[in-house]
Amino acid sequence: MKKMLVAAVAASFVSGMAVHAQQGPVVEAQPVDAATQALPVNTLVLVTPAEEITSKKMKEGTQRRFLVVEDVVYGGKVIIPRGSEVQATVTWRTGKGIVGKSAKFELSFDWVRVGSTNWRLRGQHRQEGKGNTAGALLGSAIITGKSATMAPGQIVNVFTAEPIPFR
């Protein structure tokens, strides 16, 4: 029974190859109108804060400005130029606390501006301050952790959430 099944699969594969060989080479279709081309969803975009971001005096809902680090190139064309503005929103935050607890915050990336249009992004980043638990254990409970900060030059990976058309 197994030999018959293997023979049947092999025969169908060989006959499929013969039919495919008769059809000739497969040519990828090209778009008729150049305006139909688009940067695909989930394309990687590298971003960095435009200025230092710190958990001090930060609230959930606060918007922060980032910049694209490198040109995003697709099809030999620059679709998202380096320096394009990106907006992120603070979605979660804790302050530093006693006994060495550090501050933390989380950002959700909203959009990137290309020309005069904002295109949706997806991605999150969590930043944590450095704790000071050793000092708190050895000293007093008054010792606190550090604020969470992000400095320009720190790179974060985000992704396009929708296709970005180009000509």
Side-chain angles (χ1 to χ4, degrees):
M1 181 70 174
K2 286 184 181 177
K3 289 181 180 179
M4 288 177 42
L5 181 60
V6 170
V9 170
S12 67
F13 178 75
V14 170
S15 67
M17 291 294 288
V19 169
H20 190 69
Q22 292 172 358
Q23 292 175 348
V26 177
V27 178
E28 203 172 307
Q30 296 297 318
V32 177
D33 179 12
T36 61
Q37 294 179 332
L39 182 68
V41 173
N42 295 325
T43 299
L44 176 66
V45 181
L46 302 176
V47 300
T48 189
E51 63 268 340
E52 184 178 79
I53 299 173
T54 179
S55 59
K56 296 176 185 176
K57 301 179 184 176
M58 175 189 285
K59 295 180 182 175
E60 289 180 15
T62 303
Q63 296 174 339
R64 296 292 184 220
R65 191 169 154 255
F66 282 70
L67 300 172
V68 174
V69 175
E70 295 178 354
D71 291 340
V72 177
V73 179
Y74 185 75
K77 297 181 181 182
V78 175
I79 310 305
I80 304 174
R82 178 182 61 214
S84 296
E85 183 177 359
V86 172
Q87 179 180 286
T89 302
V90 177
T91 55
W92 177 75
R93 176 203 178 270
T94 65
K96 61 184 181 175
I98 59 171
V99 195
K101 180 181 168 243
S102 65
K104 301 167 186 66
F105 64 85
E106 194 167 281
L107 299 165
S108 178
F109 290 86
D110 305 321
W111 51 257
V112 60
R113 180 167 291 140
V114 179
S116 60
T117 306
N118 294 341
W119 299 97
R120 289 183 301 120
L121 293 175
R122 68 171 185 78
Q124 293 184 327
H125 177 75
R126 183 177 178 152
Q127 188 70 37
E128 298 185 11
K130 293 182 180 165
N132 199 3
T133 52
L137 291 174
L138 297 173
S140 71
I142 299 173
I143 295 176
T144 62
K146 305 289 184 194
S147 297
T149 59
M150 290 182 74
Q154 182 177 343
I155 296 176
V156 178
N157 296 336
V158 298
F159 302 90
T160 57
E162 63 184 325
I164 301 177
F166 65 92
R167 293 185 179 265

